[in-house]
Amino acid sequence: MPPRPTPAPGQLPRPRPPPLMPVAKRPPAPWALALPAGRRARARLCLRLAAPLSFLLLLAAFLRTQPPAAPLDALPPSAGPGKVAFLFLARAGLPLDFLWDAFFRNGEEGRFSVYVHSAPGFVLDRTTTGSPYFYGRQLARTVKVAWGEPTMVQAEKMLFAAALEDPANQRFVLLSDSCVPLYNFSYTYTYLMGSPKSIVDSFTDKTEKRYNPNMSPVIRKDKWRKGSQWVMLIRKHAEVVVGDKHVFQVFRKQCKMVVTNALLGQKLVNARRLGFVFRRKQILKGAAQEEHDCIPDEHYVQTLFSIRGLEDELERRTLTYTSWNQSTLDPKDKMTWHPTTFEYDAASPEQINAIKSIDHVNYEVEHRTEWCKSNGTSVPCFLFARKFSYGAAMHLLEDGAFGLLKSAQLLVNF
């Protein structure tokens, strides 16, 4: 040991630190003494890990008691109630806007929205409609629609696309400018929102010759479907229609109006009504340029859903009643069939109630009866009807079919 240094004069000597005492080792637990050395080491390791493991187990148990987070696509689209989007295909204005005004007036704000596809450049304002529910509701971009042409489907897709921009829209109903509601808003809303399925008239008609083999392989013949264009879609299916481009392109190229002798005769009648004089050869020459394979709006949505494997997610019927009248003496000649226009006398309460009482539809070509249901519950088949004249719609309103105000009070703004 080195000698202790001598302190300087006047400086006290530095005290020595106390000697270090040996730390007594904690004796092992009696149960540990009974274990071999290897097992004692493993036991000590388990004791050290016990606390963090216990914490993790408690955390996992807590998380299991919490509801799982919903995936992004399952989150509610908005804080408010879901809305029904009413999509109108119109030539220009809406001749029955006074009736729909009464329908919406008896509805609930925030539970519906309105969209109109009209002729390019047409604007819905105070000069073209008396109903504020239609002010400015025309699409910003539209196409010129021709019956039996792909432009009809294009217009439908544009309506669905516009309505999808509002995340609150959950049901999408396609209507014509001659459609009328058969029930009040509350019943219609409950019916539509209660249906988890889209309502799409869809069937296979092996007797018609509209399928074009040139559509294959995109559209196979076994996937070809037919039905009414007046559909109601849930949001998922509206997104399918808007997102499709491949199938629609085939329709644009291969599926268009068929010019028949009956249609040719109708062209002559229309020309004479307008004051034009055409020879049959002139009409035939123009019609020959329009010879196509089918009517797209009666096939597109149905065939698209068939191709996508969505038919199990459909109620295979339509919500819109149409009365088809055969204008020929030959019952087998269905090419000249056309929908009957309801006039004032045909819109009596008895006839409207007869439509509302229908609870099933027979599909003879498929030997199928479609019983009308919504979420497994039997319901009336039809919420809407067409084609209604102005007078027929007035009759419907005057009879208080929806529990609405009398027409004299409603027509103040019209």
Side-chain angles (χ1 to χ4, degrees), residues 159 172 179 188 217 296:
L159 280 167
F172 304 77
C179 280
T188 303

Side-chain angles (χ1 to χ4, degrees), residues 54-208:
S54 299
F55 173 78
L56 291 175
L57 289 172
L58 287 172
L59 180 61
F62 172 78
L63 292 176
R64 279 198 299 270
T65 63
Q66 304 304 306
L72 291 178
D73 59 355
L75 293 176
S78 64
K83 294 197 292 187
V84 175
F86 293 86
L87 316 178
F88 291 88
L89 275 170
R91 295 170 180 82
L94 293 162
L96 308 184
D97 55 357
F98 65 93
L99 182 62
W100 285 101
D101 182 86
F103 176 80
F104 292 131
R105 187 182 301 188
N106 283 266
E108 299 179 46
E109 292 289 345
R111 292 184 181 269
F112 67 90
S113 52
V114 176
Y115 302 84
V116 180
H117 182 285
S118 193
F122 184 87
V123 177
L124 287 162
D125 56 23
R126 293 181 182 275
T127 66
T128 54
T129 178
S131 173
Y133 295 107
F134 292 102
Y135 291 167
R137 299 312 302 167
Q138 75 282 344
L139 302 188
R141 187 174 67 88
T142 60
V143 295
K144 186 177 180 180
V145 175
W147 180 85
E149 295 292 326
T151 49
M152 182 74 79
V153 174
Q154 188 176 356
E156 294 176 8
K157 289 167 70 73
M158 295 170 81
L159 280 167
F160 286 121
L164 281 170
E165 292 180 4
D166 183 349
N169 288 330
Q170 295 298 305
R171 300 293 184 272
F172 304 77
V173 184
L174 191 62
L175 301 160
S176 78
D177 54 9
S178 68
C179 280
V180 299
L182 297 176
Y183 297 89
N184 62 25
F185 178 86
S186 177
Y187 182 86
T188 303
Y189 179 86
T190 302
Y191 187 121
L192 296 176
M193 295 301 293
S195 174
K197 295 185 175 183
S198 292
I199 301 177
V200 179
D201 187 38
S202 178
F203 57 93
T204 302
D205 186 357
K206 296 182 179 179
T207 64
E208 56 94 14

Side-chain angles (χ1 to χ4, degrees), residues 250-320:
V250 176
F251 266 83
R252 293 184 78 167
K253 184 177 180 181
Q254 305 291 349
C255 183
K256 298 183 181 181
M257 178 177 58
V258 177
V259 176
T260 65
N261 289 332
L263 183 59
L264 182 62
Q266 188 62 45
K267 284 177 176 288
L268 285 167
V269 172
N270 292 340
R272 289 166 185 158
R273 284 177 179 173
L274 294 173
F276 296 107
V277 178
F278 291 104
R279 295 180 181 275
R280 183 179 179 86
K281 288 184 179 180
Q282 288 177 303
I283 295 290
L284 183 60
K285 182 179 179 181
Q289 298 174 359
E290 298 180 357
E291 289 186 0
H292 304 303
D293 299 311
C294 68
I295 301 174
D297 53 81
E298 293 185 357
H299 298 275
Y300 172 69
V301 172
Q302 293 82 355
T303 300
L304 174 63
F305 289 169
S306 172
I307 293 172
R308 297 293 179 87
L310 298 174
E311 290 185 298
D312 289 341
E313 301 177 16
L314 308 177
E315 293 282 347
R316 294 171 60 200
R317 58 186 177 89
T318 180
L319 287 172
T320 302

